[in-house]
Amino acid sequence: MAHWSFHPAIEAFDQFRDRWDALNLAQNNHILLDSGFVGILLCHFGSRDVVLAINEDDGNPAMALIERRAPGIWETFQPSWAPLGLILYGDGEKGRENLSSLIRSLPGYALELGVLQQDPSCSGFSAVDNCSWVEKLDYMQTARIPLEGTFQEYWASREDRLRKNNDRLRRRMAEKDLKLEFVVICDPAGVEDAVREFGRIESRGWKAKEGTAMATDDAQARFYRAVLEAFCKRNEGVIYQLRVDGQPVATDLCLTRGEMFVVLRTTYDEEWKVYAPGVLLREDTVRSLYAEGRVRNYEFYGPLMEYQLRWTHDIRTLYHLTCFRHLWVRGARQLVKWRVSRQASHG
């Protein structure tokens, strides 16, 4: 029988790390749900409102990081830097049972529970597809590159424009005696300088104008530095750089575990955009991953961008779930949406 306990996440998460990782290992051992990544997210972006929920039933264990958004309305803790919703649960019927028992056990009297940003390739919520008390909403499309066959076969399958343009750019740089260097940083000691360079580049580009750029030592930079230092110590973090005459002009911050490779964040120096350094860096990275022979999926884990379609056609849709304690809550919500839509259509 389900028995949920609730704890202040910032204070309690370290105490339950081993249990969190055991659940993640049993589910799919996703690196973005590893306690190391989640703990750093909490440390840098969590608040005292974030709650760690634990199903103490040994026969159907589950854990989630959640927060109350309004009276009676809860959702999974979802900072912008977390590509996936922070919840671990049983597969199939067990997953549905955990959602049902959690919404009925939350402090106060919960009416809705939002489970955000679930990946259909690794999420176990298939049993809720036909539940009247669960609403499924498409969130965004995301892409990945399946690393199948050889790099030569993969590269030959890309459109001529991509391959020929990259070759042309490399020739132009060689003709100008520009030394192009592909650099792989796995040593934790190299992370600080690499993240600082990343911030330097990004703070001068278009993201700075939009207010989303990472600076050399802001909260984002400290977060990525902590993540990469921690995971590089475990041989699961890597930073790729493309350098011109020793100066970084493009950088990717990445994590890798098993057959999965995840790009956390990418940037390039816009002063060098005529040479498309980010594109050249991706070619070098994919070639390197093929040579290593371990990774099978290169994950973008961000909104689908047009340029990504030059690299892959493997697209899937992440989704949100909204769980309702009572069917009348779902009905009332749908009525409000209908009225808002009708008023908008009538000006």
mmCIF file of all heavy atoms in Angstrom, residues 4-8 49-54 64 66-75 101-113 325:
data_model
loop_
_atom_site.group_PDB
_atom_site.id
_atom_site.type_symbol
_atom_site.label_atom_id
_atom_site.label_comp_id
_atom_site.label_asym_id
_atom_site.label_seq_id
_atom_site.Cartn_x
_atom_site.Cartn_y
_atom_site.Cartn_z
ATOM 1 N N TRP A 4 3.343 7.784 1.143
ATOM 2 C CA TRP A 4 4.265 8.816 0.697
ATOM 3 C C TRP A 4 4.756 9.650 1.879
ATOM 4 O O TRP A 4 3.975 10.029 2.754
ATOM 5 C CB TRP A 4 3.587 9.741 -0.311
ATOM 6 C CG TRP A 4 3.365 9.103 -1.645
ATOM 7 C CD1 TRP A 4 2.302 8.326 -2.013
ATOM 8 C CD2 TRP A 4 4.231 9.159 -2.776
ATOM 9 N NE1 TRP A 4 2.442 7.906 -3.310
ATOM 10 C CE2 TRP A 4 3.615 8.406 -3.810
ATOM 11 C CE3 TRP A 4 5.453 9.784 -3.034
ATOM 12 C CZ2 TRP A 4 4.199 8.257 -5.075
ATOM 13 C CZ3 TRP A 4 6.028 9.651 -4.292
ATOM 14 C CH2 TRP A 4 5.415 8.883 -5.286
ATOM 15 N N SER A 5 6.064 9.942 1.864
ATOM 16 C CA SER A 5 6.629 10.891 2.827
ATOM 17 C C SER A 5 7.145 12.100 2.055
ATOM 18 O O SER A 5 7.512 11.989 0.876
ATOM 19 C CB SER A 5 7.765 10.245 3.627
ATOM 20 O OG SER A 5 8.830 9.849 2.776
ATOM 21 N N PHE A 6 7.162 13.246 2.721
ATOM 22 C CA PHE A 6 7.531 14.494 2.053
ATOM 23 C C PHE A 6 8.587 15.214 2.880
ATOM 24 O O PHE A 6 8.457 15.339 4.104
ATOM 25 C CB PHE A 6 6.296 15.372 1.856
ATOM 26 C CG PHE A 6 5.228 14.703 1.029
ATOM 27 C CD1 PHE A 6 4.191 14.004 1.637
ATOM 28 C CD2 PHE A 6 5.282 14.728 -0.355
ATOM 29 C CE1 PHE A 6 3.226 13.356 0.888
ATOM 30 C CE2 PHE A 6 4.314 14.081 -1.118
ATOM 31 C CZ PHE A 6 3.279 13.396 -0.495
ATOM 32 N N HIS A 7 9.634 15.699 2.183
ATOM 33 C CA HIS A 7 10.783 16.286 2.863
ATOM 34 C C HIS A 7 11.225 17.559 2.141
ATOM 35 O O HIS A 7 11.111 17.642 0.910
ATOM 36 C CB HIS A 7 11.954 15.303 2.874
ATOM 37 C CG HIS A 7 11.579 13.904 3.254
ATOM 38 N ND1 HIS A 7 11.698 13.424 4.538
ATOM 39 C CD2 HIS A 7 11.059 12.870 2.511
ATOM 40 C CE1 HIS A 7 11.291 12.166 4.575
ATOM 41 N NE2 HIS A 7 10.901 11.812 3.367
ATOM 42 N N PRO A 8 11.745 18.565 2.884
ATOM 43 C CA PRO A 8 12.333 19.733 2.212
ATOM 44 C C PRO A 8 13.514 19.267 1.359
ATOM 45 O O PRO A 8 14.504 18.744 1.877
ATOM 46 C CB PRO A 8 12.797 20.624 3.369
ATOM 47 C CG PRO A 8 12.087 20.104 4.583
ATOM 48 C CD PRO A 8 11.858 18.644 4.348
ATOM 49 N N ASP A 49 10.797 25.808 -1.328
ATOM 50 C CA ASP A 49 9.470 25.328 -1.713
ATOM 51 C C ASP A 49 9.516 23.965 -2.403
ATOM 52 O O ASP A 49 8.480 23.317 -2.575
ATOM 53 C CB ASP A 49 8.799 26.339 -2.653
ATOM 54 C CG ASP A 49 8.510 27.665 -1.972
ATOM 55 O OD1 ASP A 49 8.264 27.646 -0.754
ATOM 56 O OD2 ASP A 49 8.543 28.705 -2.654
ATOM 57 N N VAL A 50 10.713 23.535 -2.819
ATOM 58 C CA VAL A 50 10.821 22.256 -3.524
ATOM 59 C C VAL A 50 10.752 21.117 -2.505
ATOM 60 O O VAL A 50 11.448 21.134 -1.486
ATOM 61 C CB VAL A 50 12.127 22.164 -4.335
ATOM 62 C CG1 VAL A 50 12.183 20.830 -5.090
ATOM 63 C CG2 VAL A 50 12.239 23.332 -5.308
ATOM 64 N N VAL A 51 9.904 20.134 -2.804
ATOM 65 C CA VAL A 51 9.648 19.013 -1.891
ATOM 66 C C VAL A 51 10.137 17.712 -2.532
ATOM 67 O O VAL A 51 9.920 17.477 -3.729
ATOM 68 C CB VAL A 51 8.140 18.910 -1.587
ATOM 69 C CG1 VAL A 51 7.826 17.651 -0.783
ATOM 70 C CG2 VAL A 51 7.664 20.156 -0.846
ATOM 71 N N LEU A 52 10.811 16.892 -1.743
ATOM 72 C CA LEU A 52 11.178 15.547 -2.168
ATOM 73 C C LEU A 52 10.093 14.589 -1.699
ATOM 74 O O LEU A 52 9.870 14.433 -0.494
ATOM 75 C CB LEU A 52 12.530 15.143 -1.578
ATOM 76 C CG LEU A 52 12.979 13.696 -1.821
ATOM 77 C CD1 LEU A 52 13.156 13.420 -3.309
ATOM 78 C CD2 LEU A 52 14.269 13.397 -1.060
ATOM 79 N N ALA A 53 9.396 13.973 -2.651
ATOM 80 C CA ALA A 53 8.327 13.017 -2.339
ATOM 81 C C ALA A 53 8.858 11.599 -2.518
ATOM 82 O O ALA A 53 9.499 11.300 -3.535
ATOM 83 C CB ALA A 53 7.132 13.252 -3.250
ATOM 84 N N ILE A 54 8.608 10.736 -1.547
ATOM 85 C CA ILE A 54 9.104 9.364 -1.583
ATOM 86 C C ILE A 54 7.968 8.398 -1.272
ATOM 87 O O ILE A 54 7.312 8.515 -0.228
ATOM 88 C CB ILE A 54 10.230 9.150 -0.557
ATOM 89 C CG1 ILE A 54 11.381 10.135 -0.781
ATOM 90 C CG2 ILE A 54 10.743 7.712 -0.618
ATOM 91 C CD1 ILE A 54 12.463 10.060 0.293
ATOM 92 N N ALA A 64 10.074 11.818 -6.385
ATOM 93 C CA ALA A 64 9.855 12.973 -7.256
ATOM 94 C C ALA A 64 10.247 14.243 -6.529
ATOM 95 O O ALA A 64 10.133 14.342 -5.307
ATOM 96 C CB ALA A 64 8.389 13.046 -7.688
ATOM 97 N N ILE A 66 8.999 17.990 -6.427
ATOM 98 C CA ILE A 66 7.786 18.708 -6.796
ATOM 99 C C ILE A 66 7.704 20.027 -6.037
ATOM 100 O O ILE A 66 8.396 20.232 -5.037
ATOM 101 C CB ILE A 66 6.531 17.862 -6.499
ATOM 102 C CG1 ILE A 66 6.543 17.402 -5.032
ATOM 103 C CG2 ILE A 66 6.443 16.668 -7.446
ATOM 104 C CD1 ILE A 66 5.323 16.615 -4.621
ATOM 105 N N GLU A 67 6.865 20.919 -6.522
ATOM 106 C CA GLU A 67 6.609 22.180 -5.811
ATOM 107 C C GLU A 67 5.192 22.634 -6.089
ATOM 108 O O GLU A 67 4.622 22.353 -7.136
ATOM 109 C CB GLU A 67 7.636 23.248 -6.192
ATOM 110 C CG GLU A 67 7.801 23.515 -7.662
ATOM 111 C CD GLU A 67 8.971 24.434 -7.945
ATOM 112 O OE1 GLU A 67 9.377 25.190 -7.041
ATOM 113 O OE2 GLU A 67 9.494 24.404 -9.066
ATOM 114 N N ARG A 68 4.637 23.347 -5.104
ATOM 115 C CA ARG A 68 3.275 23.846 -5.225
ATOM 116 C C ARG A 68 3.306 25.139 -6.030
ATOM 117 O O ARG A 68 4.027 26.078 -5.702
ATOM 118 C CB ARG A 68 2.678 24.092 -3.845
ATOM 119 C CG ARG A 68 1.195 24.367 -3.902
ATOM 120 C CD ARG A 68 0.523 24.608 -2.552
ATOM 121 N NE ARG A 68 1.329 24.297 -1.398
ATOM 122 C CZ ARG A 68 0.912 23.566 -0.366
ATOM 123 N NH1 ARG A 68 -0.301 23.047 -0.376
ATOM 124 N NH2 ARG A 68 1.678 23.362 0.673
ATOM 125 N N ARG A 69 2.515 25.186 -7.114
ATOM 126 C CA ARG A 69 2.461 26.372 -7.970
ATOM 127 C C ARG A 69 1.322 27.314 -7.592
ATOM 128 O O ARG A 69 1.393 28.517 -7.856
ATOM 129 C CB ARG A 69 2.312 25.945 -9.429
ATOM 130 C CG ARG A 69 3.575 25.359 -10.031
ATOM 131 C CD ARG A 69 4.705 26.371 -9.955
ATOM 132 N NE ARG A 69 5.918 25.919 -10.624
ATOM 133 C CZ ARG A 69 7.070 26.544 -10.548
ATOM 134 N NH1 ARG A 69 7.176 27.646 -9.812
ATOM 135 N NH2 ARG A 69 8.125 26.084 -11.174
ATOM 136 N N ALA A 70 0.284 26.763 -7.005
ATOM 137 C CA ALA A 70 -0.895 27.536 -6.568
ATOM 138 C C ALA A 70 -1.645 26.634 -5.602
ATOM 139 O O ALA A 70 -1.364 25.438 -5.519
ATOM 140 C CB ALA A 70 -1.761 27.913 -7.769
ATOM 141 N N PRO A 71 -2.587 27.178 -4.845
ATOM 142 C CA PRO A 71 -3.355 26.314 -3.942
ATOM 143 C C PRO A 71 -3.971 25.131 -4.688
ATOM 144 O O PRO A 71 -4.696 25.314 -5.663
ATOM 145 C CB PRO A 71 -4.434 27.262 -3.398
ATOM 146 C CG PRO A 71 -3.782 28.610 -3.441
ATOM 147 C CD PRO A 71 -2.959 28.602 -4.700
ATOM 148 N N GLY A 72 -3.624 23.931 -4.260
ATOM 149 C CA GLY A 72 -4.174 22.729 -4.866
ATOM 150 C C GLY A 72 -3.499 22.281 -6.153
ATOM 151 O O GLY A 72 -3.889 21.271 -6.731
ATOM 152 N N ILE A 73 -2.492 23.014 -6.612
ATOM 153 C CA ILE A 73 -1.851 22.700 -7.895
ATOM 154 C C ILE A 73 -0.347 22.506 -7.689
ATOM 155 O O ILE A 73 0.347 23.415 -7.238
ATOM 156 C CB ILE A 73 -2.103 23.810 -8.934
ATOM 157 C CG1 ILE A 73 -3.612 23.951 -9.193
ATOM 158 C CG2 ILE A 73 -1.364 23.510 -10.238
ATOM 159 C CD1 ILE A 73 -3.974 25.067 -10.133
ATOM 160 N N TRP A 74 0.122 21.312 -8.037
ATOM 161 C CA TRP A 74 1.526 20.949 -7.894
ATOM 162 C C TRP A 74 2.091 20.536 -9.246
ATOM 163 O O TRP A 74 1.353 20.141 -10.152
ATOM 164 C CB TRP A 74 1.677 19.764 -6.931
ATOM 165 C CG TRP A 74 1.332 20.061 -5.506
ATOM 166 C CD1 TRP A 74 0.083 20.231 -4.984
ATOM 167 C CD2 TRP A 74 2.245 20.193 -4.415
ATOM 168 N NE1 TRP A 74 0.149 20.470 -3.630
ATOM 169 C CE2 TRP A 74 1.470 20.435 -3.252
ATOM 170 C CE3 TRP A 74 3.631 20.107 -4.291
ATOM 171 C CZ2 TRP A 74 2.048 20.607 -1.994
ATOM 172 C CZ3 TRP A 74 4.213 20.275 -3.045
ATOM 173 C CH2 TRP A 74 3.424 20.529 -1.914
ATOM 174 N N GLU A 75 3.426 20.636 -9.363
ATOM 175 C CA GLU A 75 4.082 20.119 -10.555
ATOM 176 C C GLU A 75 5.522 19.742 -10.236
ATOM 177 O O GLU A 75 6.071 20.156 -9.206
ATOM 178 C CB GLU A 75 4.043 21.121 -11.710
ATOM 179 C CG GLU A 75 4.860 22.366 -11.509
ATOM 180 C CD GLU A 75 4.750 23.335 -12.688
ATOM 181 O OE1 GLU A 75 3.713 23.301 -13.397
ATOM 182 O OE2 GLU A 75 5.698 24.117 -12.886
ATOM 183 N N SER A 101 -1.695 7.662 -6.373
ATOM 184 C CA SER A 101 -1.509 7.757 -4.922
ATOM 185 C C SER A 101 -0.805 9.049 -4.523
ATOM 186 O O SER A 101 -1.085 9.625 -3.464
ATOM 187 C CB SER A 101 -0.718 6.549 -4.409
ATOM 188 O OG SER A 101 0.579 6.491 -4.980
ATOM 189 N N LEU A 102 0.104 9.545 -5.384
ATOM 190 C CA LEU A 102 0.823 10.778 -5.051
ATOM 191 C C LEU A 102 -0.124 11.970 -4.980
ATOM 192 O O LEU A 102 -0.075 12.753 -4.026
ATOM 193 C CB LEU A 102 1.927 11.041 -6.080
ATOM 194 C CG LEU A 102 2.706 12.353 -5.923
ATOM 195 C CD1 LEU A 102 3.321 12.474 -4.533
ATOM 196 C CD2 LEU A 102 3.781 12.469 -7.004
ATOM 197 N N ILE A 103 -1.007 12.115 -5.972
ATOM 198 C CA ILE A 103 -1.884 13.289 -5.978
ATOM 199 C C ILE A 103 -2.841 13.264 -4.783
ATOM 200 O O ILE A 103 -3.259 14.312 -4.276
ATOM 201 C CB ILE A 103 -2.657 13.400 -7.309
ATOM 202 C CG1 ILE A 103 -3.267 14.800 -7.447
ATOM 203 C CG2 ILE A 103 -3.724 12.337 -7.415
ATOM 204 C CD1 ILE A 103 -3.857 15.073 -8.818
ATOM 205 N N ARG A 104 -3.150 12.076 -4.274
ATOM 206 C CA ARG A 104 -4.034 11.964 -3.117
ATOM 207 C C ARG A 104 -3.301 12.084 -1.791
ATOM 208 O O ARG A 104 -3.934 12.179 -0.739
ATOM 209 C CB ARG A 104 -4.789 10.628 -3.176
ATOM 210 C CG ARG A 104 -5.892 10.624 -4.210
ATOM 211 C CD ARG A 104 -6.453 9.242 -4.480
ATOM 212 N NE ARG A 104 -7.666 9.328 -5.307
ATOM 213 C CZ ARG A 104 -7.660 9.596 -6.605
ATOM 214 N NH1 ARG A 104 -6.498 9.779 -7.226
ATOM 215 N NH2 ARG A 104 -8.794 9.681 -7.275
ATOM 216 N N SER A 105 -1.977 12.079 -1.851
ATOM 217 C CA SER A 105 -1.186 12.135 -0.621
ATOM 218 C C SER A 105 -0.492 13.480 -0.407
ATOM 219 O O SER A 105 0.050 13.729 0.670
ATOM 220 C CB SER A 105 -0.110 11.033 -0.649
ATOM 221 O OG SER A 105 -0.680 9.763 -0.813
ATOM 222 N N LEU A 106 -0.503 14.333 -1.419
ATOM 223 C CA LEU A 106 0.210 15.602 -1.313
ATOM 224 C C LEU A 106 -0.330 16.446 -0.161
ATOM 225 O O LEU A 106 -1.521 16.385 0.156
ATOM 226 C CB LEU A 106 0.086 16.379 -2.634
ATOM 227 C CG LEU A 106 0.939 15.860 -3.786
ATOM 228 C CD1 LEU A 106 0.498 16.480 -5.110
ATOM 229 C CD2 LEU A 106 2.411 16.151 -3.534
ATOM 230 N N PRO A 107 0.548 17.242 0.456
ATOM 231 C CA PRO A 107 0.105 18.112 1.560
ATOM 232 C C PRO A 107 -1.039 19.022 1.125
ATOM 233 O O PRO A 107 -1.078 19.493 -0.015
ATOM 234 C CB PRO A 107 1.364 18.908 1.898
ATOM 235 C CG PRO A 107 2.499 18.046 1.443
ATOM 236 C CD PRO A 107 2.004 17.349 0.215
ATOM 237 N N GLY A 108 -1.929 19.288 2.043
ATOM 238 C CA GLY A 108 -3.102 20.070 1.707
ATOM 239 C C GLY A 108 -4.096 19.177 0.973
ATOM 240 O O GLY A 108 -4.192 17.986 1.245
ATOM 241 N N TYR A 109 -4.795 19.749 0.029
ATOM 242 C CA TYR A 109 -5.742 18.971 -0.775
ATOM 243 C C TYR A 109 -5.450 19.274 -2.232
ATOM 244 O O TYR A 109 -5.918 20.271 -2.780
ATOM 245 C CB TYR A 109 -7.181 19.334 -0.421
ATOM 246 C CG TYR A 109 -8.206 18.371 -0.975
ATOM 247 C CD1 TYR A 109 -8.575 17.246 -0.246
ATOM 248 C CD2 TYR A 109 -8.778 18.574 -2.218
ATOM 249 C CE1 TYR A 109 -9.516 16.346 -0.746
ATOM 250 C CE2 TYR A 109 -9.712 17.692 -2.734
ATOM 251 C CZ TYR A 109 -10.076 16.576 -1.994
ATOM 252 O OH TYR A 109 -11.000 15.686 -2.482
ATOM 253 N N ALA A 110 -4.637 18.405 -2.858
ATOM 254 C CA ALA A 110 -4.211 18.653 -4.234
ATOM 255 C C ALA A 110 -5.327 18.309 -5.217
ATOM 256 O O ALA A 110 -5.973 17.265 -5.101
ATOM 257 C CB ALA A 110 -2.973 17.827 -4.546
ATOM 258 N N LEU A 111 -5.507 19.183 -6.204
ATOM 259 C CA LEU A 111 -6.472 18.942 -7.277
ATOM 260 C C LEU A 111 -5.785 18.547 -8.577
ATOM 261 O O LEU A 111 -6.335 17.793 -9.372
ATOM 262 C CB LEU A 111 -7.315 20.198 -7.510
ATOM 263 C CG LEU A 111 -8.222 20.630 -6.360
ATOM 264 C CD1 LEU A 111 -8.882 21.963 -6.690
ATOM 265 C CD2 LEU A 111 -9.275 19.564 -6.070
ATOM 266 N N GLU A 112 -4.560 19.088 -8.795
ATOM 267 C CA GLU A 112 -3.823 18.802 -10.029
ATOM 268 C C GLU A 112 -2.358 18.527 -9.703
ATOM 269 O O GLU A 112 -1.792 19.116 -8.782
ATOM 270 C CB GLU A 112 -3.870 19.991 -11.002
ATOM 271 C CG GLU A 112 -5.220 20.320 -11.569
ATOM 272 C CD GLU A 112 -5.141 21.478 -12.559
ATOM 273 O OE1 GLU A 112 -4.025 21.772 -13.053
ATOM 274 O OE2 GLU A 112 -6.185 22.095 -12.825
ATOM 275 N N LEU A 113 -1.775 17.644 -10.514
ATOM 276 C CA LEU A 113 -0.343 17.384 -10.444
ATOM 277 C C LEU A 113 0.207 17.377 -11.859
ATOM 278 O O LEU A 113 -0.208 16.557 -12.688
ATOM 279 C CB LEU A 113 -0.055 16.038 -9.768
ATOM 280 C CG LEU A 113 1.390 15.527 -9.853
ATOM 281 C CD1 LEU A 113 2.341 16.471 -9.110
ATOM 282 C CD2 LEU A 113 1.496 14.104 -9.310
ATOM 283 N N ARG A 325 -7.259 14.983 -9.609
ATOM 284 C CA ARG A 325 -7.792 14.190 -8.497
ATOM 285 C C ARG A 325 -9.231 13.785 -8.748
ATOM 286 O O ARG A 325 -9.662 12.695 -8.364
ATOM 287 C CB ARG A 325 -7.680 14.986 -7.200
ATOM 288 C CG ARG A 325 -8.075 14.186 -5.969
ATOM 289 C CD ARG A 325 -7.665 14.897 -4.713
ATOM 290 N NE ARG A 325 -7.859 14.092 -3.526
ATOM 291 C CZ ARG A 325 -7.183 14.252 -2.401
ATOM 292 N NH1 ARG A 325 -6.259 15.197 -2.319
ATOM 293 N NH2 ARG A 325 -7.416 13.482 -1.354
#
